[in-house]
């Protein structure tokens, strides 16, 4: 099958449409909208409003690491120092059998038994903020309770504890020892608040650093917690922050956490972001991270740089966890569907999953994981689609690649595997996944 060559307007102008999502408790027992504000771009893709600022080059001028060329591993702490040749036996399970699934998830009360079975079928589960605090009294206890249930079904699943690098969320037991004096302040000595409502961290404060690091270390001391997921890394160095050189202060905090992380524990972050080039892709954070989650990539001018960035990270032995949503689908029609089974059947059509999965498979290599979902909120009322093992395109036979991806033209890319041929068009953002038989012939 060949890809259609249709005209596509470049994504250079956007209208912001903040969308409200499900709610949960974050501050002083009150309910507040938790899902990060996002807008829908011209391709129907959800984009974090913060990414709009990143696209405009809103980084700090005084960043650590200097040249964004090659990553130099400086750390010798937890899990072998996160270098490309260290022992990676603590990494998640991986093979060429099929696309390897991961998921980010949260539920404010307790997961159902069916949901636990679904989570236990993934290779990596990142237990997002606001897990289980309504049932267990705190996010830490709720996270641990969920982790124990998942591990009881599949001990090989790698479970990550969520730790935000910038935003102070409620619901955590560790907040009992929080001091407001550690919060970031403006020049007028007022609290600087993210989106005008949430306190922000100041990594220049050494007492705060110790509190923040201990939060993570206390959670990974549990056998059921395999590592830490650091969110909001790209927020730490924004020019508009009232504290200058804050990115450098965060970098020092992160290095200290890595140094003290127990052997065999993972440190993953929301730390890579390719824009129009790799010049400011935040790849310096791979110095202390085992790998990175990627979001905000599904914008036309970011696609080729993201592909290069993922390939680079994988070549130096890092983990890649790509986050994807259905593309080109009728969201209004989808939202009217009251059957979860029908929702799964709907968004796994190739016209919706073909490009996100095909794009991922262009660079797929050992230690790369794929997540295709509609929401992180597992509240049954939300009818969220998140179980990657229910998508035939994800679980079908893949096999080893017959080579690297091929750039067929300015926008068209392809790659072949033993059991699959992938074709994607970065301009139309369409993908074709052609299954092969056991003899390697296209079906």
């Amino acid at each position: 099958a060949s890809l259609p060559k249709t005209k596509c307007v470049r994504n250079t102008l956007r209208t912001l449409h903040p969308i409200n999502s499900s709610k949960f408790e974050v501050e002083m027992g009150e309910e507040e909208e938790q899902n990060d504000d996002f807008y829908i771009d011209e391709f129907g893709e959800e984009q974090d409003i913060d990414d709009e600022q990143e696209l405009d080059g809103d980084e700090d001028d005084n960043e650590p690491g200097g040249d964004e060329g090659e990553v130099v591993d400086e750390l010798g702490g937890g899990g072998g120092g996160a270098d490309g040749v260290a022992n990676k036996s603590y990494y998640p399970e991986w093979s060429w059998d099929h696309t390897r699934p991961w998921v980010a998830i949260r539920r404010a009360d307790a997961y159902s038994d069916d949901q636990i079975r679904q989570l236990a079928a993934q290779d990596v589960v990142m237990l997002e903020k606001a897990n289980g605090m309504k049932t267990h009294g705190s996010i830490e206890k709720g996270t641990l309770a969920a982790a124990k249930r998942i591990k009881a079904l599949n001990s090989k699943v790698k479970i990550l504890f969520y730790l935000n690098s910038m935003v102070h969320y409620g619901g955590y037991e560790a907040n009992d020892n929080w001091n407001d004096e550690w919060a970031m302040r403006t020049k007028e000595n007022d609290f600087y608040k993210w989106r005008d409502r949430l306190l922000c961290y100041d990594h220049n404060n050494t007492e705060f650093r110790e509190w923040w690091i201990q939060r993570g270390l206390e959670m990974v001391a549990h056998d059921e917690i395999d590592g830490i997921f650091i969110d909001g890394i790209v927020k730490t160095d924004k020019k508009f922050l009232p504290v200058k050189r804050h990115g450098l202060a965060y970098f020092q905090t992160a290095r200290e956490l890595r140094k003290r992380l127990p052997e065999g524990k993972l440190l993953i972050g929301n730390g890579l972001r390719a824009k129009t080039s790799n010049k400011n892709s935040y790849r310096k954070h791979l110095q202390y991270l085992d790998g990175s989650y990627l979001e905000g990539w599904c914008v036309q001018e970011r696609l080729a740089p993201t592909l290069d960035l993922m390939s680079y990270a994988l070549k130096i032995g890092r983990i890649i966890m790509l986050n994807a949503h259905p593309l080109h689908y009728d969201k209004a029609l989808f939202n009217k569907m009251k059957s979860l089974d029908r929702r799964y059947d709907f968004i796994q059509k190739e016209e919706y999953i073909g490009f996100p999965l095909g794009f991922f498979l262009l660079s797929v290599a050992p230690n790369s994981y794929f997540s295709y979902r509609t929401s992180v909120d597992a509240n049954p009322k939300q009818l969220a689609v998140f179980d990657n093992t229910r998508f035939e395109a994800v679980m079908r036979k893949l096999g080893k690649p017959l080579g690297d991806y091929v750039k067929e033209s300015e926008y068209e890319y392809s790659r072949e595997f033993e059991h699959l041929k992938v074709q994607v068009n970065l301009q139309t953002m369409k993908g074709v996944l052609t299954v092969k038989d056991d003899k390697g012939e296209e079906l």
Side-chain angles (χ1 to χ4, degrees):
S2 61
L3 292 168
K5 295 182 179 179
T6 58
K7 185 177 181 180
C8 183
V9 179
R10 284 185 62 80
N11 189 18
T12 56
L13 181 64
R14 303 184 183 90
T15 301
L16 301 185
H17 299 288
I19 295 176
N20 294 330
S21 182
S22 56
K23 299 180 177 181
F24 61 86
E25 298 171 358
V26 294
E27 285 188 311
M28 298 184 293
E30 298 179 358
E31 291 193 344
E32 180 174 353
E33 295 168 5
Q34 168 59 22
N35 194 26
D36 286 344
D37 296 337
F38 59 90
Y39 64 93
I40 302 299
D41 67 19
E42 64 186 77
F43 301 108
E45 173 73 357
E46 297 173 1
Q47 300 294 344
D48 193 322
I49 286 175
D50 293 329
D51 282 338
E52 184 73 12
Q53 296 167 332
E54 292 160 26
L55 192 63
D56 293 334
D58 211 357
E59 302 88 18
D60 188 86
D61 290 329
N62 301 302
E63 299 223 2
D67 185 6
E68 280 275 272
E70 297 301 313
V71 168
V72 178
D73 290 296
E74 300 177 346
L75 309 176
D83 59 64
V85 297
N87 175 20
K88 301 298 184 183
S89 61
Y90 63 101
Y91 269 24
E93 190 173 64
W94 202 92
S95 77
W96 288 108
D97 292 347
H98 57 78
T99 301
R100 307 307 306 194
W102 81 277
V103 68
I105 200 73
R106 66 167 181 257
R107 182 168 174 174
D109 49 9
Y111 293 101
S112 68
D113 289 341
D114 282 343
Q115 289 175 331
I116 291 294
R117 281 191 288 270
Q118 292 167 2
L119 296 177
Q122 315 300 314
D123 289 319
V124 182
V125 176
M126 188 264 282
L127 292 172
E128 254 262 19
K129 48 191 175 288
N131 259 294
M133 73 284 189
K134 288 186 176 179
T135 298
H136 300 281
S138 72
I139 294 172
E140 292 95 334
K141 291 177 180 177
T143 296
L144 185 57
K148 288 181 176 180
R149 293 174 65 195
I150 294 168
K151 288 283 192 177
L153 296 183
N154 183 3
S155 61
K156 293 183 179 180
V157 182
K158 296 297 184 180
I159 298 179
L160 305 177
F161 171 69
Y162 178 97
L163 188 62
N164 198 288
S165 61
M166 273 296 291
V167 183
H168 184 64
Y169 289 109
Y172 288 92
E173 187 173 324
N175 290 349
D176 292 344
N177 298 317
W178 161 259
N179 187 336
D180 281 351
E181 294 302 313
W182 300 339
M184 185 176 288
R185 291 179 179 269
T186 66
K187 292 180 180 179
E188 294 74 27
N189 205 36
D190 297 323
F191 288 126
Y192 178 80
K193 294 187 177 182
W194 199 260
R195 299 197 180 109
D196 295 323
R197 69 179 188 266
L198 296 171
L199 292 178
C200 287
Y201 298 141
D202 184 351
H203 283 268
N204 288 289
N205 187 298
T206 56
E207 291 184 357
F208 158 76
R209 287 188 188 181
E210 184 62 25
W211 173 84
W212 188 84
I213 290 170
Q214 282 297 329
R215 292 175 62 191
L217 294 179
E218 288 175 7
M219 287 302 293
V220 295
H222 298 282
D223 292 339
E224 296 83 4
I225 304 299
D226 298 294
I228 298 169
F229 175 83
I230 305 176
D231 200 8
I233 292 174
V234 299
K235 295 179 172 69
T236 62
D237 62 0
K238 295 299 184 182
K239 282 185 179 179
F240 56 73
L241 294 176
V243 177
K244 300 305 177 184
R245 297 180 62 84
H246 188 260
L248 177 59
Y250 160 75
F251 197 78
Q252 293 170 342
T253 306
R255 291 181 64 192
E256 180 65 19
L257 172 60
R258 182 75 214 195
K259 181 179 179 180
R260 294 163 61 179
L261 199 65
E263 188 76 16
K265 296 293 184 175
L266 290 161
L267 191 59
I268 307 293
N270 186 355
L272 293 181
R273 194 80 86 249
K275 288 156 280 185
T276 54
S277 73
N278 276 332
K279 181 180 179 182
N280 294 307
S281 60
Y282 297 92
R283 66 169 65 183
K284 62 184 170 290
H285 293 290
L286 295 179
Q287 292 181 29
Y288 62 86
L289 292 173
D290 283 303
S292 180
Y293 158 100
L294 279 90
E295 64 180 0
W297 57 271
C298 206
V299 179
Q300 192 180 69
E301 60 263 40
R302 299 187 186 186
L303 294 173
T306 297
L307 183 59
D308 291 340
L309 184 59
M310 291 193 298
S311 298
Y312 172 80
L314 292 166
K315 285 179 181 177
I316 64 169
R318 299 304 195 272
I319 293 169
I320 285 294
M321 293 162 48
L322 190 71
N323 178 53
H325 302 272
L327 273 184
H328 312 295
Y329 74 122
D330 187 334
K331 192 167 185 178
L333 175 62
F334 174 83
N335 288 337
K336 291 179 181 178
M337 298 177 183
K338 303 305 178 185
S339 164
L340 192 54
D341 288 338
R342 188 181 174 196
R343 288 189 170 200
Y344 273 100
D345 290 341
F346 182 74
I347 71 163
Q348 69 173 315
K349 295 178 181 179
E350 185 171 291
E351 59 194 291
Y352 308 136
I353 196 174
F355 181 78
L357 180 55
F359 179 79
F360 170 79
L361 290 174
L362 289 178
S363 67
V364 70
N367 308 321
S368 48
Y369 301 84
F370 181 74
S371 179
Y372 180 71
R373 58 174 175 77
T374 61
S375 175
V376 298
D377 192 345
N379 183 331
K381 295 180 180 179
Q382 302 301 319
L383 293 175
V385 172
F386 62 82
D387 181 5
N388 290 272
T389 67
R390 292 187 61 173
F391 301 125
E392 192 273 334
V394 172
M395 300 307 292
R396 67 161 61 109
K397 291 170 66 176
L398 180 62
K400 293 182 179 180
L402 304 185
D404 294 333
Y405 70 78
V406 176
K407 187 174 182 179
E408 307 282 1
S409 66
E410 183 178 2
Y411 296 108
E412 294 181 326
Y413 293 70
S414 67
R415 193 180 187 191
E416 293 204 43
F417 300 84
E418 291 177 313
H419 305 294
L420 189 71
K421 181 178 180 179
V422 175
Q423 295 169 282
V424 299
N425 187 307
L426 303 192
Q427 184 179 43
T428 62
M429 300 178 82
K430 296 291 183 67
V432 174
L433 309 173
T434 304
V435 179
K436 299 179 180 181
D437 62 21
D438 291 337
K439 297 181 180 180
E441 300 293 330
E442 296 181 16
L443 297 178

